[in-house]
């Protein structure tokens, strides 16, 4: 049932191109409009939205963090992302014109469900993104978009995460579409890029041997740090979560700009730092900034592994090792850059003899608060 792989996680990493393609299939109609599965909201309801809150836990929360960048850029609607377990206990400002997007692979996570119920009590609209048809969170939502990752067995989420990103991009584009055509050109270009993503993910997966080697080399370290900017920041958080979860190792993700405000003191000679580097094209300011961050940690003895766009010679000149991913628009890059980090965590954890599919203390579905 593991399809020839040693672990379910390995199988699920390899299923990602298909899972993302399945999640996109049929969701873009002939007119280039995005189709949600179940919508108990009219286009006018979507037009009336003046604020978006994304609520989720764990990996799904990281998908939400990426989505904030996309939604605000494409729609200009303010978007906040919050851990579901914090959201309902702090009296968030919600009303009829708030859209709450709940992301949950299982659709049963109690913290997220409680956040949904709280949002509904406050009359907010709820749109959920889930991998489980008919689960509680989608049933209680006003609109649903299902990911089509298939069953994810490994506790550590991989293919569900990538399909959540794909679905979240669709939601962002849907909001942009129903609210006007200001970004029509950009939206249609992004749709083309989304459709191309599964092929690019497959390329990343074909080229994971160097990542595995680096992971084995890093297995003796007592900590691994991940840094990123913009959408690379949530990817850094996700890389660190995978490593904590699987290897039981101290791993932290940071916004690279925050390093000098504290975390840089964690760096010692040989500390592995994984840097998520944005494309050197376009927003090159972002690229320059992370190169400076790489220099900062290198100067303190870090061993820098950079996940960057193929052909990025500047990064190659500064990092100790590079993992190249195909070119992609900045906002969609997490679909590619998250994948080597999954493999890194799995391989490092394997080197430490951990149980990859069933890490200690964890359950696939967290149905208690
Ligand atoms: O089913 P959900 O998406 O609501 O689950 C949320 C988290 O429990 C989940 O993503 C968890 O963080 C994963 N094990 C991470 O790999």
């Amino acid at each position: 049932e593991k399809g020839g792989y040693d672990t379910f996680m390995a199988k699920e990493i390899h299923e990602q191109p298909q899972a993302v393609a399945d999640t996109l299939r049929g969701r873009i109609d002939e007119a280039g409009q995005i189709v949600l599965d179940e919508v108990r909201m009219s286009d006018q309801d979507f037009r009336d939205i003046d604020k978006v809150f994304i609520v989720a836990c764990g990996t799904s929360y990281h998908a939400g963090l990426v989505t904030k960048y996309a939604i605000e850029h494409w729609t200009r609607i303010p978007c906040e992302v919050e851990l579901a377990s914090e959201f309902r206990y702090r009296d968030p400002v919600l009303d009829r014109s708030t859209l709450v997007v709940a992301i949950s692979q299982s659709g049963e996570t109690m913290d997220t469900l409680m956040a949904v119920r709280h949002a509904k009590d406050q009359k907010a609209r709820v749109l959920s993104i889930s991998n489980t048809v008919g689960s509680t969170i989608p049933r209680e939502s006003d609109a649903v978009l299902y990911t089509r990752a298939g069953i994810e067995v490994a506790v550590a989420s991989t293919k569900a995460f990538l399909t959540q990103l794909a679905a979240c991009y669709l939601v962002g584009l849907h909001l942009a579409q129903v609210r006007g055509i200001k970004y029509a050109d950009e939206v249609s270009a992004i749709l083309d890029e989304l459709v191309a993503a599964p092929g690019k993910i497959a390329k990343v997966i074909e080229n994971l041997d160097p990542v595995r080697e680096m992971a084995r080399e890093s297995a003796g370290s007592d900590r691994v740090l991940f840094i990123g900017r913009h959408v690379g920041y949530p990817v850094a958080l996700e890389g660190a979560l995978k490593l904590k979860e699987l290897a039981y190792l101290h791993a932290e993700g940071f916004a690279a700009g925050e390093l000098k405000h504290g975390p840089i003191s964690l760096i010692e000679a040989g500390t592995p730092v994984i840097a998520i580097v944005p494309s050197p094209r376009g927003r090159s300011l972002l690229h320059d900034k992370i190169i400076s961050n790489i220099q900062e940690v290198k100067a303190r003895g870090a061993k820098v592994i950079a996940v960057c766009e193929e052909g990025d010679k500047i990064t190659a000149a500064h990092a100790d090792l590079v993992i190249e991913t195909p070119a992609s628009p900045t906002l969609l890059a997490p679909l590619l850059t998250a994948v080597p980090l999954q493999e890194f965590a799995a391989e490092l954890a394997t080197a430490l003899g951990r149980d990859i599919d069933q890490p200690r203390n964890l359950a696939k579905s967290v149905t208690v608060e």
Side-chain angles (χ1 to χ4, degrees):
E1 56 191 17
K2 290 179 194 153
Y5 293 97
D6 290 342
T7 61
F8 280 106
M9 184 174 172
K11 172 172 177 272
E12 289 161 6
I13 286 174
H14 285 80
E15 284 170 349
Q16 292 184 112
Q18 190 62 50
V20 171
D22 288 346
T23 297
L24 296 173
R25 184 166 309 116
R27 259 72 193 264
I28 305 162
D29 72 12
E30 283 161 14
Q33 294 292 308
I34 285 141
V35 187
L36 301 178
D37 292 325
E38 286 167 34
V39 198
R40 294 175 282 270
M41 279 174 76
S42 66
D43 280 3
Q44 189 57 45
D45 291 335
F46 279 107
R47 279 193 277 274
D48 290 342
I49 299 302
D50 62 14
K51 183 167 66 186
V52 178
F53 265 113
I54 303 177
V55 293
C57 304
T59 289
S60 302
Y61 170 71
H62 298 151
L65 289 174
V66 172
T67 310
K68 171 188 167 75
Y69 292 84
I71 286 189
E72 290 198 340
H73 180 67
W74 291 331
T75 70
R76 311 309 298 154
I77 310 172
C79 176
E80 288 185 45
V81 192
E82 194 149 346
L83 291 166
S85 55
E86 291 294 319
F87 178 79
R88 67 183 283 244
Y89 294 108
R90 70 162 186 85
D91 198 14
V93 181
L94 302 165
D95 58 32
R96 252 171 232 293
S97 52
T98 311
L99 179 68
V100 172
V101 178
I103 310 174
S104 175
Q105 186 283 129
S106 60
E108 301 293 351
T109 297
M110 189 54 76
D111 285 315
T112 310
L113 176 60
M114 289 304 170
V116 164
R117 288 186 179 157
H118 182 71
K120 296 219 71 175
D121 284 347
Q122 308 289 311
K123 309 283 181 252
R125 314 280 182 169
V126 177
L127 184 156
S128 59
I129 293 177
S130 176
N131 196 42
T132 313
V133 175
S135 55
T136 311
I137 291 169
R139 274 195 278 116
E140 298 199 11
S141 304
D142 298 297
V144 184
L145 187 63
Y146 286 108
T147 50
R148 297 186 188 131
I151 293 173
E152 191 178 62
V153 177
V155 165
S157 184
T158 55
K159 62 178 180 171
F161 177 61
L162 256 59
T163 60
Q164 285 168 343
L165 290 176
C168 285
Y169 291 131
L170 290 176
V171 167
L173 295 167
H174 178 70
L175 272 175
Q177 285 180 334
V178 293
R179 295 170 67 87
I181 54 161
K182 192 166 162 208
Y183 296 97
D185 286 352
E186 189 174 344
V187 166
S188 71
I190 288 282
L191 281 175
D192 291 346
E193 287 283 354
L194 255 186
V195 172
K200 294 183 187 180
I201 299 165
K203 273 194 166 173
V204 175
I205 291 172
E206 276 164 26
N207 191 25
L208 290 174
D209 282 347
V211 182
R212 281 193 273 273
E213 203 182 312
M214 291 169 210
R216 289 191 294 270
E217 281 174 20
S218 305
S221 307
D222 57 2
R223 70 182 67 115
V224 179
L225 308 182
F226 295 76
I227 57 172
R229 284 176 174 266
H230 194 264
V231 290
Y233 168 42
V235 172
L237 295 176
E238 174 61 7
L241 177 62
K242 288 283 94 91
L243 198 53
K244 284 178 217 175
E245 190 173 28
L246 293 172
Y248 322 150
L249 194 73
H250 176 215
E252 292 285 335
F254 299 108
E258 273 295 290
L259 278 172
K260 55 176 116 19
H261 301 289
I264 200 161
S265 59
L266 291 167
I267 310 268
E268 293 172 352
T271 302
V273 174
I274 303 196
I276 319 305
V277 180
S279 168
R281 301 165 297 118
R283 295 167 172 250
S284 59
L285 191 61
L286 212 54
H287 188 266
D288 294 350
K289 291 282 181 203
I290 199 135
I291 295 293
S292 316
N293 298 131
I294 289 175
Q295 288 170 324
E296 283 164 11
V297 295
K298 284 269 315 170
R300 274 110 186 144
K303 179 175 144 197
V304 176
I305 301 166
V307 179
C308 63
E309 187 170 297
E310 58 196 5
D312 179 350
K313 295 203 175 63
I314 304 171
T315 299
H318 286 89
D320 294 287
L321 296 153
V322 292
I323 302 162
E324 295 193 325
T325 56
S328 153
T330 302
L331 283 170
L332 302 189
L335 285 169
L336 309 179
T337 53
V339 176
L341 306 192
Q342 300 166 343
E343 188 70 18
F344 183 87
E347 187 68 18
L348 198 154
T350 304
L352 295 177
R354 310 298 193 216
D355 182 337
I356 302 300
D357 287 334
Q358 186 53 258
R360 68 184 180 198
N361 305 340
L362 294 171
K364 185 67 188 160
S365 184
V366 184
T367 52
V368 289
E369 265 193 278

